[in-house]
DNA sequence: TGTACATCAGTGAACGCGCGTTCACTGATGTAC
DNA sequence: TGTACATCAGTGAACGCGCGTTCACTGATGTAC
């Protein structure tokens, strides 16, 4: 129950009544605050121990509650994890969307692409453990429920949107793909964005995976003693990815 | 002590004497066998629980030993992890090197590159949990000692070697890099491969990170319901990476 | 070749710790009439 | 507006489990003379 996305103030509560912040009773307000406090503390603990060792008891302890009290808010440890995962996807998606929304009106698709990549990287560096939660190795014994897919696809959809606008404005040079890949490319495009050419969709998905490869290597230490000016390195790599997708300007 | 790489039969033992398999006493042979059995069982358990929860007690239990007995072989849990990590890097490196060694004599650099990428992917799909151990998110609370770096760099060195041969044979088209990246590119090249142009080294490192991004996305489920013919997709992406590094043939 | 001694592998008990989850309960807050 | 009842948050004890590591010990294997 409590694992659904937190209801923003102003939406209707469980009774169906529209509930203004003032009208919500003390109980409802307390519930929201404590739910948020639990998630905040859990996020804090991700940093120390990682998701695999995230412990309800430790969270409760830190909050001055008894461990069983958490079960009023999350029916199990996995549900708390799910909530953290959805929040992380949403926060990352929002950061990326905000970066794109703040573009200058004259920005080219390639510039928008790079800006979104930079926003993703910046969020990852700012929230390394939440990033790890969603783009690191899977948490053993945990399988993400379907609730996560909507939030998980926000960054991907944003990138597709940028490429789509560019394509409509003739700002895309079709990448070439080998014949062996053609059927798969057509299937991918049909499934995800039938209005885009298969070559573009295929290149886009590869670029999407590669973007997270760059960020992961930086975050997980593989660039230690290799790359130093990581911002400059990343910016260039992101621009190259845009190029690979066919964004010509 | 026992966390150093396992001594292959035929090398000299701790006494300095050359020790043929026959000459080694029962004790030494048993020690090697049991060390290997511990690592094998630990690898098996990585699959179920992940590295964060790898447990000496569980390994001992499965081997029919008492947990304290493992301390004769590995001074601590972290040392066992280190041994597994080094083994994994070595196994991956060896798989990549073998794939390259098996090339046809006429193979172009681009073909060699793709063959190595495919070998890395194949090994990752065959050993997902060992791959996760080395290229997944870091194990919380564990920091890899310096012992791992040699094994960790085998794949990278192999890729550099391929590009180097191509460069010497004029098989590389210099990628372009923006002026902002020039100083960092020169630093990288000077540090790692002074005989290669900075543009090439920079592109190589980006491609290296992107390669593992592609593999990670496939392995960690991000391609679920997105990419289906993953081999075809990967082969093309790997060829594109070669192209990005400047391998023209 | 035989013997005394040193080395080593493995035992079993213990220390001190942590975990997720359930359950019957108390007391405060909210709701319906 | 006041009261009876329902809802809910939080408690504290308990269940049953697992963990890494230490330690004194036994008995087998190896080594030096």
């Amino acid at each position: 129950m409590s694992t659904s996305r937190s209801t923003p103030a102003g939406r209707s509560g469980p009774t169906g009544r529209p509930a203004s912040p003032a009208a919500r009773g003390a109980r409802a307000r307390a519930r929201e605050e404590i739910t948020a406090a639990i998630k905040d503390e859990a996020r804090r603990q991700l940093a120390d121990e990682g998701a695999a060792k995230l412990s309800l008891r430790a969270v409760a302890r830190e909050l001055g509650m008894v461990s069983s009290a958490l079960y009023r808010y999350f029916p199990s440890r996995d549900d708390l994890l799910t909530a953290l995962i959805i929040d992380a996807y949403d926060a990352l998606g929002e950061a990326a969307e905000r970066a794109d929304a703040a573009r200058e009106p004259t920005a080219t698709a390639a510039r928008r692409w790079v800006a979104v990549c930079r926003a993703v990287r910046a969020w990852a560096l700012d929230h390394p453990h939440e990033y790890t939660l969603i783009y690191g190795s899977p948490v053993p014994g945990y399988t993400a429920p379907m609730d996560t897919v909507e939030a998980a696809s926000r960054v991907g959809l944003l990138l597709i949107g940028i490429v789509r606008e560019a394509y409509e404005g003739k700002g895309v040079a079709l990448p070439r793909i080998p014949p062996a890949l053609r059927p798969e490319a057509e299937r991918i495009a049909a499934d995800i964005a039938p209005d885009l050419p298969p070559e573009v969709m295929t290149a886009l998905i590869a670029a999407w995976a590669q973007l997270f490869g760059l960020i992961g290597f930086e975050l997980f230490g593989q660039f230690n003693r290799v790359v130093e000016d990581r911002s400059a390195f990343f910016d260039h790599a992101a621009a190259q990815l845009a190029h690979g997708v066919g964004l010509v300007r």
Side-chain angles (χ1 to χ4, degrees), chain A residues 225-242:
Chain A
R225 263 168 274 119
V226 177
V227 181
E228 270 173 22
D229 186 349
R230 294 173 187 174
S231 296
F233 182 86
F234 180 84
D235 287 353
H236 174 58
Q240 289 295 106
L241 289 179

Side-chain angles (χ1 to χ4, degrees), chain A residues 159-237:
Chain A
L159 293 175
I160 292 174
I162 291 174
V163 173
R164 175 178 289 124
E165 273 203 33
Y167 178 68
E168 287 165 356
K170 320 273 181 216
V172 172
L174 280 202
R176 244 171 269 195
I177 61 173
L181 189 55
R182 169 101 6 220
E184 172 68 2
E186 281 171 358
R187 203 200 48 71
I188 290 173
D191 267 18
I192 301 180
D195 55 330
L196 288 179
E199 296 91 333
V200 172
M201 263 318 290
T202 303
L204 175 50
I205 285 172
W208 173 61
Q210 289 167 6
L211 165 64
F212 288 91
L214 290 165
I215 294 173
F217 260 37
E218 176 172 356
L219 204 59
F220 300 157
Q222 236 88 24
F223 280 169
N224 291 349
R225 263 168 274 119
V226 177
V227 181
E228 270 173 22
D229 186 349
R230 294 173 187 174
S231 296
F233 182 86
F234 180 84
D235 287 353
H236 174 58

Side-chain angles (χ1 to χ4, degrees), chain A residues 4-39:
Chain A
S4 57
R5 315 231 215 137
S6 59
T7 313
R11 280 235 211 105
S12 54
T15 61
R17 280 183 300 100
S20 78
R24 268 179 308 136
R27 202 120 94 175
R29 220 167 325 122
R31 174 164 259 280
E32 274 178 29
E33 272 165 30
I34 294 180
T35 303
I38 292 170
K39 292 200 288 189

Side-chain angles (χ1 to χ4, degrees), chain A residues 55-209:
Chain A
S55 141
L56 287 190
R57 287 188 102 112
V59 170
R61 209 181 301 128
E62 215 59 35
L63 257 39
M65 299 168 84
V66 94
S67 68
S68 51
L70 289 205
Y71 287 80
R72 300 278 170 215
Y73 298 89
F74 297 93
S76 78
R77 198 195 87 114
D78 276 9
D79 291 274
L80 173 55
L81 256 188
T82 299
L84 294 179
I85 287 171
I86 290 175
D87 282 2
Y89 274 127
D90 268 327
L92 173 61
E94 206 188 302
E97 286 162 15
R98 236 197 331 255
D100 188 50
R103 69 179 178 271
E104 290 168 31
T106 62
T108 62
R111 288 192 90 81
R112 286 176 68 189
W113 173 282
V114 170
V116 167
C117 291
R118 294 172 78 158
V120 171
R121 170 173 177 263
W123 188 89
L125 295 179
D126 270 3
H127 307 83
H129 304 96
E130 288 167 80
Y131 180 88
T132 301
L133 191 60
I134 54 182
Y135 286 108
S137 12
V139 182
Y142 170 87
T143 42
M146 276 300 176
D147 316 29
T148 59
V149 304
E150 188 196 327
S153 47
R154 283 174 69 168
V155 170
L157 291 178
L158 180 57
L159 293 175
I160 292 174
I162 291 174
V163 173
R164 175 178 289 124
E165 273 203 33
Y167 178 68
E168 287 165 356
K170 320 273 181 216
V172 172
L174 280 202
R176 244 171 269 195
I177 61 173
L181 189 55
R182 169 101 6 220
E184 172 68 2
E186 281 171 358
R187 203 200 48 71
I188 290 173
D191 267 18
I192 301 180
D195 55 330
L196 288 179
E199 296 91 333
V200 172
M201 263 318 290
T202 303
L204 175 50
I205 285 172
W208 173 61

